[in-house]
Amino acid sequence: MREHIRLGRVAGIDVGINWSVLAIFLLITLGLAAGRFPLLVPGLAPVAYLTAGLVAGLIFFLSLLAHELAHALVAQRNGVEVEGITLWLFGGVARLKGDAPDPGAELRISGVGPLVSLALGGLFFVVRAVSAALGLHALVVDVFTWLSLINVVLAVFNLVPAAPLDGGRILRAILWHRRGDRTGSAITAARAGKGFGWLLVVVGFVFLLLVPGLSGLWLMFVGWFLIAAARAEEQQAELSGVLADVRVREVMSPHPTTAPASVSVQQFLDGYVFPYRYSTFPLTEDDGTLAGLVSLKRVKAVPAEDRWRVAVRGVACPIDDVPIVAPDDSVVDVLPRMADCADGRALVVEGGRLVGIVSPTDVMRQLEIAELRHHPARAHHL
């Protein structure tokens, strides 16, 4: 999930939000301002409830950020590179480049998030108690009551042993430790996630029929999301199992044709796109250093009348955003990095020299070969 609004860096980690955060923030704010707060603390002006709702919603998302930041920091301590953190509709996600190296690291990375949420729940409960003892307004007290409750609920929900929730990753770590099989454990956790998702859908449907309001519809929505996310994790686990021992040098296209970053888009089309059959070209500076990666998809976005005026580097993915990998890197570790700006590609560099490029087509071909090897034809006897 790539963020649409970049907020900056926290502890050296990029933090951003998806536009969907605005929708859930609005729902939380209005739900508290028009529902909970007037019910529990009646008789105040609407602006007081709205202000309390805004403050509670903002602190809640800061709590989510703390939850995800804990995952990211522990991941870094355990040797897993962190691409960034994105807050979105269902909370947040710490985007990790690769998997935990062992079950213990998986357990630490997964378990720290719920622990932070529980700690925040306890902290807000203490603040709530102190606020009440000091005689602060009941609305202020209830803001901290809600924050305490919602963080505990977040921790408990995330501990459900069903991927992609933290509890599912904890389950995967435990099964991995017992079985010694990372792939099989990940598939089991993902299937548990699908089961839990279907349970939420069924319960939500019953609520929708029997209980007034939209709580049932919300449960069904969350359930469908978990089913889709768990299915994606199951497919990713199966993919990782097939490619577990495959190295980048086995799938890459060697000796890719490069183009100068300084030429115009039209010169790039005439000199490289039309004469060659490739859809993606690494770009180089005049001194031969890599400058970026440009695809036909990016070039097509330039209007025809601007092709002589716009330099190809202006539409390319900058080299800092292009995954740079080594020939002996595992394809499984490279796959999560082949997204976003680089249009699914990675450049392969050895000894400071570009030696190849990896595309989704290269990976798919390797998968097809692996499938043929795992399902050999049976001998036919006349």
Side-chain angles (χ1 to χ4, degrees):
M1 172 67 62
R2 187 170 177 84
E3 68 270 13
H4 294 276
I5 304 174
R6 186 174 182 273
L7 300 181
R9 295 174 69 85
V10 178
I13 299 170
D14 285 326
V15 177
I17 62 173
N18 182 268
W19 288 108
S20 58
V21 165
L22 301 179
I24 194 65
F25 181 77
L26 182 63
L27 285 174
I28 289 175
T29 299
L30 294 180
L32 292 173
R36 177 187 173 94
F37 292 155
L39 181 65
L40 296 181
V41 189
L44 301 180
V47 67
Y49 298 128
L50 183 59
T51 301
L54 287 169
V55 171
L58 178 60
I59 297 177
F60 171 61
F61 277 103
L62 290 176
S63 300
L64 290 177
L65 177 59
H67 178 113
E68 297 303 331
L69 190 60
H71 284 309
L73 292 174
V74 174
Q76 286 182 332
R77 286 192 173 187
N78 284 271
V80 181
E81 188 178 354
V82 179
E83 182 181 351
I85 293 173
T86 301
L87 299 181
W88 68 298
L89 180 64
F90 286 100
V93 58
R95 305 189 309 279
L96 308 182
K97 295 182 179 180
D99 293 320
D102 54 68
E106 179 82 68
L107 185 62
R108 290 188 291 273
I109 295 170
S110 304
V112 69
L115 285 177
V116 167
S117 293
L118 282 174
L120 287 172
L123 174 63
F124 287 127
F125 182 80
V126 171
V127 174
R128 181 252 178 219
V130 172
S131 300
L134 293 175
L136 298 184
H137 197 282
L139 184 59
V140 175
V141 175
D142 195 56
V143 166
F144 290 111
T145 301
W146 181 82
L147 286 169
S148 176
L149 177 64
I150 197 64
N151 273 281
V152 171
V153 169
L154 178 67
V156 172
F157 181 74
N158 266 285
L159 285 172
V160 174
L165 301 175
D166 293 332
R169 311 215 185 281
I170 292 172
L171 173 63
R172 181 171 68 182
I174 294 171
L175 294 177
W176 182 9
H177 176 71
R178 290 181 177 178
R179 300 174 178 175
D181 178 10
R182 183 205 298 242
T183 300
S185 301
I187 291 174
T188 299
R191 289 175 178 170
K194 288 194 295 185
F196 181 61
W198 279 113
L199 176 62
L200 289 181
V201 170
V202 172
V203 172
F205 182 71
V206 172
F207 268 53
L208 197 62
L209 295 177
L210 303 179
V211 180
L214 299 178
S215 58
L217 190 61
W218 181 249
L219 281 175
M220 293 177 68
F221 189 43
V222 174
W224 281 117
F225 164 76
L226 289 177
I227 292 168
R231 185 178 290 120
E233 290 222 354
E234 183 179 9
Q235 293 171 348
Q236 178 63 34
E238 292 172 345
L239 177 68
S240 298
V242 173
L243 299 176
D245 298 322
V246 179
R247 300 295 154 184
V248 167
R249 68 171 69 252
E250 299 175 53
V251 302
M252 72 180 189
S253 297
H255 313 301
T257 299
T258 62
S262 58
V263 299
S264 69
V265 169
Q266 188 61 54
Q267 290 173 314
F268 171 69
L269 289 172
D270 293 337
Y272 295 91
V273 173
F274 298 150
Y276 297 99
R277 61 180 180 85
Y278 311 121
S279 61
T280 307
F281 293 82
L283 299 181
T284 58
E285 302 289 2
D286 293 338
D287 61 1
T289 58
L290 289 171
L293 189 70
V294 66
S295 63
L296 294 187
K297 175 183 175 183
R298 290 176 170 273
V299 172
K300 286 170 64 177
V302 180
E305 61 271 19
D306 294 333
R307 289 175 182 170
W308 283 105
R309 181 178 58 83
V310 176
V312 71
R313 73 163 74 249
V315 297
C317 178
I319 192 62
D320 290 342
D321 295 331
V322 178
I324 305 296
V325 301
D328 290 324
D329 286 349
S330 169
V331 172
V332 172
D333 293 336
V334 170
L335 279 176
R337 302 169 59 190
M338 293 171 56
D340 300 328
C341 179
D343 295 324
R345 270 72 173 179
L347 296 180
V348 187
V349 174
E350 184 175 33
R353 184 172 59 91
L354 179 67
V355 296
I357 186 171
V358 180
S359 72
T361 303
D362 298 324
V363 178
M364 288 303 300
R365 181 177 181 276
Q366 185 65 34
L367 283 173
E368 291 171 354
I369 292 173
E371 185 176 356
L372 290 172
R373 285 174 175 169
H374 282 82
H375 298 88
R378 294 181 180 178
H380 179 69
H381 299 285
L382 297 175

